[in-house]
Structure formats: C-alpha cells, structure tokens
Amino acid sequence: MQHGKYRFIVGFLALPVGLYALFVVWPFIQSIYYSFTDWTGLSPEFKMVGFDNYERMLDDDIFWKSLQHSLLLALLLPLVTIGFALFLAFMINVGGRRRKGGPVVIGVRGSSFYKIVYFFPQVLSIAIVALLFAFAYNPDSGAINSVLRGIGLDSVQPLWLGDPNLALWAVMAVIVWSTVGFFVVLFSAGMASIPADLYEAALLDGAGRATTFFRVTLPLLWDTVQSGWVYMGILALGAESFAVVHIMTTGPGGPDYSTTVMVLYVYQKAFRDGQAAYATTIGVALLIVTLAFAAVVMRLGRRERLEF
Amino acid sequence: MKTTETTAPVPAESGRPVTKAGVPDEMPSREKKEGTVLNVFSHGILVIWAFMVVMPLLWAVMTSFKDDSSIFGSPWSLPDELHFSNWSRAWTEANMSDYFLNTILVVGGSLIGTLVLGSMAAYVLARFEFPGNRFIYFLFIGGMSFPIMLALVPLFYVVNNMGLLNTIHGLILVYIAYSLPFTVFFLTAFFRTLPTSVAEAAFVDGASHSRTFFQIMLPMAKPGLISVGIFNFLGQWNQYMLPTVLNTDPDKRVLTQGLVQLAVSQGYKGDWSGLFAGLVMAMLPVLAAYVVFQRQVVQGLTAGALK
C-alpha cells in the first residue's frame, strides 16, 4: 500500500490541519504573545511591555473577584451536578421495587421515560435557557416570585439576579438545571454495564442500598465520574458560564460585579473596553486555572482501576 | 451472616437461576419494608425533578400564547385566548425567519464541512503510519481542553484581516475548525475499530486511496458519522460565544444571538409576547428532533465521555 501514500496523506490532512492551525492553534499562540504587549486591539501598533499586564492583573480587584467566582463555579457546580445526577441515576436504575421471583436489581417503573425527560434541557441552547430563566427570575412579574406569592410568601420576594448576594447562586442553579440530565443518562449507561451478579452478591451479603451504592456502584463507575467531573469543570469555567452570566445578569456582570466570571471579564476587556492585550493576560490566567483544575481532579481521582 | 455461608450455595457460573430462587428466602423482612419506603421515596424525587424540568418549558409555551398584560399581571394563569398573532409577529417583524435561515445556512455548511474534513483527517491518522502522526493527533486532541475564550481575541483579528468578519462562510470555517478536535478524536477511535481487510482488498483491486476512502470506508463508518454528526449539530445549532464575537452584523445573526438581541431591545419596545413566541419557536425544532431521534442523540452526546 505504498504507492502514492504520502501524496494521499498530505492531500487529506492539508485542509483540516490548515483550518485548525489558522483558527485555533495560531490564535492560542498569539494570545500568549499579546499578553506581553500593550496592544489595544483597535490599532495595529503595539510594543512589548514585559510583565506589566500581569502586574496590573494582580492589583485588579475585579480580576480577583472574577477568579473567586470562577473557582467557586468550578468546584461547586461539578459537586452538586454530579452528586445529584448520581443520586437520580441510582434511583432510576436500582430504586425499583423487587417483585417476587424477579431479578434482584431493577430500575423504577418508567425509567426510560425519566431518562428522556431529564435530558430535555441538554439539547436546548444554553442561551435560550438563560433567557427563559431571566424571565422566571424577574422580581415583579417573574414566574418564581409569583409562585412564592401564590403560596402565601408575600414577604419573601427576592430580587434574585438583582441581589448581589443571590445573583451568582441564581445563575448556578440554571447551569445545574440544564446539565443534570446529561449526567443522569451518562451514569445510567455506566450502571447498566455493571453486571447484576455484583449487586446480587452484595444484597445477599446483607448490604443495604446505601452500602451497595458506595461499595459497588460508585467504585465501578469511577472512571466515568472522573471524566464527567473534568468535563463539567471546563464547562463551568468556559462557554456555559459565559452565556449564562452574559445574558442573565444586569450590567452584565451583576450588581457590584457579583457574578463576573473570568471568561466574561476577558470578553469585556477585549471587546467592550478595547484592552485586547490585558484581556489575553486574563485569558492566560484562565488557561492556567483550567489546566490546574484538570490536573488536580486527575491526580486526586487516581485510584486502582477496577475491571469487570 | 457470614460471607462464606451465603455465597457457598451459589455456583459460580449459574448465578442467576439459583439467586432468583434463593434470594426471597434469605432476605429478612426488614429489607422488604425498606425497599417499599425507598421505592416511594425514589419515585417521589424522580417525579419532582421531572416536573421541575418540564415546568419551565410548558410555562414558556403557555406564555407564548398570552398577551403582554397577562404575561406580567398573572404569569401562571392560562391564556385567555390563544394569541397566535404573537407567533406570526415574531416570525416576520422580529426577524425570526431571518435568524432561522442564517442558522440553517451556517449549521448546514459547518456540519457537512466538519464531517468531511474530520473523517478525512481521522482516517489518515488512524490508518497510516507516517512521521508526525502522533504530533498532529495530539495537536487536535489538545484543542478539547483549552478555554476557547483565550483564542477568541486574536481569532477576531485573524478573521477580520481575512475579510471574513460578519460573513456566513467565515462563521462556517471557524465553526468547522472548533468542531474538529472532538470529531477527529471520536472518528480516529472509530476508524481503528473497522476491519482493514476490506480496504486492503479494494486497494489490491486497483482502487486509489481516496476512492477506497470515499466508496468503502466512509459508508462503513456511517454509525460513527451519525453519532458525531448529532453531537456537532447540537453544538453548532446552540453555539453562542463564537457568533457573539465574530458576527455583529444584525442581518447575519444566528438564532441564539438574535433572540438575546431581541430580549435586550424588547426592553424598550415591550413586545414580550412576541419574544416568548420566538423563544419557543427556537426550542421546538431541537426538542422535536430529540424526541424522534432520542436514542441516537443520547448515544451521540454520551459516546465520547463513556469511552
């Protein structure tokens, strides 16, 4: 199979690699370079300024706020989303009532129905989801406060997105709402591949549901949980949180920068304030946080691989 | 109860029939009661979450048929009559038809481009040994974990310098480039699993490399292409960050962008019912596609994470 092999390889790779290098790799390399300049992005002229941008960043209160919010999102969102999804997936797949003579471990009735419904938000654009919830959170006429009034809680009418103490939590709830279903389906698929014999053996040994979950299900699912954790963390640091914060919170960035996250701050510095070089500096910080996050999860999550 | 006693009567290879008969006798009654309580509890939680997922969507559909005063006066009441005019107003006056057309053009072009270029690169990387193979592969894979926002600032100027800013084809090229990492990753793994013998036979019979690829390997890779195609379709249809940065011309807006712009401008104009109609209009096609192709969508979206 040697004849014309290299011509073929080059012919097939040129276009995809070329596009990828031009629009993805090259801008990445450039952005690190630009972070050492005073480029505004508006004019083609710029000069090297060394570490000035980095020094400025360390003195920037808003940067620290956005870093804090991003870290909170990266730590809390995977914890809540994956924890809740594991719980739901376990309920769906193992929570069924055992009929006499039937298999020991069965899913609840309608398990496939639940999986279909829970997955709904995943196919919707996060931008559309964010818009929808921005209406629901509206303090005067939104659906949520109107429910609170309906059940007699007239005194509890939070401003939600307008309250600096609540805005970030309100935004996080939306991300959880839209991503839990994906993980329920993912973990369900993982649980379905665990042999029923293992559950049977555990139940025979007198293990309760909780013990079964922590001793059988979770260890065997660990690889999936871990990759889900990294995936969710990257979402929370990047695209997902950008759309939600950009669309939902006033400013945008929330009252008193209460919801500003790093990716939003990069966007604002570059495209609103005309400080392209400084924006790429914050972008480099975001890259470091993302890589550190992935490394920590991989490191902490490393344990003996279980074969089954 | 000791482990040895309970496991002893179960022969290793025929676990199932023996346990079926054996379990009910050995299970203490406490276990059964706990099972019932847990069953009620688990059903309860599952129903509540299903309700919480469906409710906002139903609320949006309901609201899209109401007039402005009742949207604000009583958000949860049913519409007094079905105001279909909201929908027609959104479609024509609020430019939803244009946004739909732009989105279909951009996603259609990017999807085809992503699948063709992605499968070409993946095929070569999976089946041919050549210097730099590993390097190119990891170059692609690396793109999956980097924050896109970092590249967006210089990307804006790269696209601008090429005169591709605010153009449909420029957006298509960028979408393809950013869809390649996962596509190549997924399809490389897929091509490795396909049998080599068929391709070799075709080659021996005188087919060229590219003919072998397009006529033999690509049809064989159809299941993989469908999975990764659905993944890319949803990702590109729902893309928000890339068009927000690279596509600021009002006439070229895609759906997500257009809706967000609409929401901002409605703050002044006050046509909320039209906006809700637009929102539901944008939601329905993907929800319908999901219900119809439910199995493939789930497989497509979870395939990468499960490997």
Side-chain angles (χ1 to χ4, degrees):
Chain A
M1 294 190 48
Q2 287 303 314
H3 176 71
K5 184 180 131 183
Y6 282 101
R7 218 182 54 194
F8 171 72
I9 290 171
V10 171
F12 260 40
L13 279 180
L15 218 55
V17 173
L19 265 186
Y20 183 65
L22 180 66
F23 289 123
V24 184
V25 179
W26 175 229
F28 263 116
I29 297 169
Q30 271 184 309
S31 69
I32 292 167
Y33 168 71
Y34 281 136
S35 73
F36 295 101
T37 69
D38 65 352
W39 187 43
T40 58
L42 304 172
S43 74
E45 281 121 56
F46 58 85
K47 60 177 190 298
M48 299 299 289
V49 294
F51 282 93
D52 281 9
N53 285 320
Y54 289 88
E55 276 166 32
R56 176 183 164 196
M57 185 172 78
L58 297 181
D59 287 333
D60 185 348
D61 288 344
I62 303 168
F63 164 74
W64 287 109
K65 260 190 180 168
S66 70
L67 175 68
Q68 217 180 322
H69 296 149
S70 281
L71 287 179
L72 187 70
L73 253 60
L75 296 178
L76 214 55
L77 277 178
L79 189 72
V80 174
T81 312
I82 289 179
F84 188 46
L86 274 172
F87 178 77
L88 289 175
F90 192 69
M91 293 282 177
I92 287 177
N93 293 288
V94 188
R97 188 203 306 262
R98 184 165 52 81
R99 271 170 293 277
K100 216 175 164 74
V104 176
V105 178
I106 58 163
V108 291
R109 200 171 302 170
S111 59
S112 53
F113 167 77
Y114 286 122
K115 280 187 262 181
I116 293 175
V117 169
Y118 289 0
F119 205 76
F120 267 163
Q122 186 63 37
V123 297
L124 295 178
S125 165
I126 187 72
I128 291 176
V129 169
L131 271 180
L132 189 61
F133 275 88
F135 286 112
Y137 277 128
N138 187 304
D140 304 321
S141 48
I144 295 174
N145 276 4
S146 138
V147 167
L148 289 176
R149 276 195 297 273
I151 56 174
L153 290 169
D154 290 63
S155 53
V156 188
Q157 296 286 307
L159 290 174
W160 298 115
L161 301 168
D163 182 338
N165 296 316
L166 276 180
L168 192 63
W169 301 100
V171 162
M172 275 201 231
V174 174
I175 302 183
V176 171
W177 181 84
S178 71
T179 38
V180 160
F182 171 79
F183 290 105
V184 170
V185 170
L186 185 69
F187 295 147
S188 291
M191 284 180 192
S193 70
I194 296 174
D197 307 20
L198 289 174
Y199 284 119
E200 287 173 4
L203 288 173
L204 278 173
D205 287 350
R209 306 268 174 171
T211 322
T212 317
F213 175 76
F214 284 108
R215 295 293 174 82
V216 180
T217 312
L218 194 55
L220 289 173
L221 218 58
W222 194 251
D223 275 352
T224 315
V225 171
Q226 199 186 351
S227 49
W229 200 282
V230 176
Y231 173 75
M232 185 68 205
I234 290 174
L235 276 191
L237 286 169
E240 210 93 343
S241 66
F242 171 76
V244 175
V245 173
H246 183 65
I247 294 167
M248 291 180 76
T249 61
T250 47
D256 194 23
Y257 298 102
S258 53
T259 57
T260 301
V261 289
M262 287 172 88
V263 21
L264 180 80
Y265 199 42
V266 175
Y267 172 80
Q268 289 180 335
K269 281 290 151 201
F271 299 104
R272 187 195 62 186
D273 302 345
Q275 301 174 9
Y278 187 49
T280 59
T281 313
I282 303 162
V284 172
L286 177 62
L287 174 68
I288 294 169
V289 170
T290 309
L291 293 181
F293 168 81
V296 167
V297 173
M298 290 302 189
R299 179 104 204 151
L300 290 183
R302 194 161 59 191
R303 47 170 79 184
E304 211 175 319
R305 211 191 164 89
L306 293 162
E307 300 285 343
F308 58 91
Chain B
M1 218 187 267
K2 273 187 224 137
T3 326
T4 42
E5 282 171 52
T6 48
T7 45
V10 185
E13 63 267 55
S14 62
R16 197 155 276 254
V18 178
T19 28
K20 255 191 202 168
V23 168
D25 305 331
E26 290 186 48
M27 284 288 173
S29 61
R30 181 187 58 83
E31 186 66 34
K32 268 184 196 151
K33 216 179 274 169
E34 187 195 287
T36 311
V37 172
L38 188 100
N39 198 255
V40 171
F41 175 69
S42 57
H43 266 297
I45 300 225
L46 291 172
V47 167
I48 290 173
W49 187 250
F51 183 76
M52 287 185 67
V53 167
V54 174
M55 216 43 228
L57 305 178
L58 288 182
W59 175 72
V61 174
M62 195 177 82
T63 308
S64 74
F65 287 110
K66 290 157 77 164
D67 56 10
D68 282 322
S69 62
S70 66
I71 288 179
F72 286 105
S74 42
W76 282 102
S77 69
L78 287 167
D80 49 349
E81 54 173 306
L82 296 178
H83 294 267
F84 284 106
S85 61
N86 297 340
W87 283 61
S88 54
R89 211 169 54 244
W91 184 251
T92 51
E93 284 170 43
N95 301 329
M96 282 301 289
S97 55
D98 296 343
Y99 302 152
F100 254 100
L101 185 67
N102 288 340
T103 309
I104 289 170
L105 287 177
V106 172
V107 173
S110 328
L111 195 58
I112 293 169
T114 306
L115 289 180
V116 171
L117 295 184
S119 58
M120 277 161 58
Y123 176 69
V124 170
L125 291 173
R127 315 287 298 234
F128 291 88
E129 285 291 328
F130 60 93
N133 181 319
R134 295 278 81 189
F135 174 77
I136 294 177
Y137 178 71
F138 284 114
L139 195 67
F140 275 122
I141 305 307
M144 287 199 297
S145 56
F146 284 124
I148 300 178
M149 194 34 107
L150 176 56
L152 279 191
V153 185
L155 175 68
F156 175 87
Y157 297 98
V158 169
V159 173
N160 192 18
N161 289 340
M162 295 174 69
L164 292 173
L165 212 57
N166 301 329
T167 61
I168 298 282
H169 52 281
L171 214 50
I172 289 176
L173 291 177
V174 174
Y175 273 28
I176 295 174
Y178 280 85
S179 308
L180 280 177
F182 180 79
T183 308
V184 169
F185 166 71
F186 182 89
L187 287 177
T188 307
F190 194 84
F191 277 121
R192 283 205 187 107
T193 66
L194 291 182
T196 358
S197 49
V198 184
E200 271 164 9
F203 193 70
V204 168
D205 285 350
S208 67
H209 281 298
S210 24
R211 195 183 153 97
T212 310
F213 172 73
F214 284 111
Q215 292 197 334
I216 313 279
M217 296 311 282
L218 216 48
M220 275 166 78
K222 211 166 132 196
L225 288 175
I226 290 175
S227 283
V228 83
I230 289 171
F231 177 89
N232 280 317
F233 169 75
L234 287 172
Q236 291 168 350
W237 184 272
N238 291 332
Q239 181 59 255
Y240 175 66
M241 201 150 70
L242 288 172
T244 301
V245 171
L246 299 175
N247 186 33
T248 46
D249 179 350
D251 290 339
K252 303 280 168 51
R253 279 180 192 140
V254 297
L255 263 178
T256 47
Q257 247 186 317
L259 280 169
V260 173
Q261 283 302 320
L262 214 57
V264 174
S265 66
Q266 292 316 44
Y268 309 105
K269 284 192 217 143
D271 182 11
W272 298 106
S273 49
L275 177 60
F276 262 96
L279 264 183
V280 175
M281 222 178 258
M283 279 175 2
L284 285 183
V286 274
L287 279 187
Y290 168 60
V291 171
V292 175
F293 300 106
Q294 190 256 125
R295 197 177 296 266
Q296 288 90 331
V297 171
V298 169
Q299 270 171 4
L301 284 189
T302 52
L306 262 185
K307 276 270 161 179

